[in-house]
Amino acid sequence: MKQYLEETPILDFSSEIIQQLILKKGWQKLSPAEKVKGIYNFVRDV
């Protein structure tokens, strides 16, 4: 499972832009299940 949670060149979730998006959307305050749902919906709808 750990391999699926690691950063890759395509998905660099430590980048400043991604971290700003996380803060803007408030995802850091959600439960793990709600985080997944919120991020999934954001990616689906963009």
Side-chain angles (χ1 to χ4, degrees), residues 11-23 27:
L11 180 59
D12 180 9
F13 50 80
S14 292
S15 76
E16 185 65 28
I17 292 172
I18 300 296
Q19 289 301 308
Q20 288 175 7
L21 178 63
I22 291 168
L23 290 173
W27 292 328

Side-chain angles (χ1 to χ4, degrees), residues 27-44:
W27 292 328
Q28 75 281 6
K29 299 175 186 175
L30 302 176
S31 69
E34 289 297 315
K35 286 178 186 177
V36 171
K37 182 179 175 184
I39 295 166
Y40 172 84
N41 288 335
F42 175 80
V43 171
R44 181 195 65 196

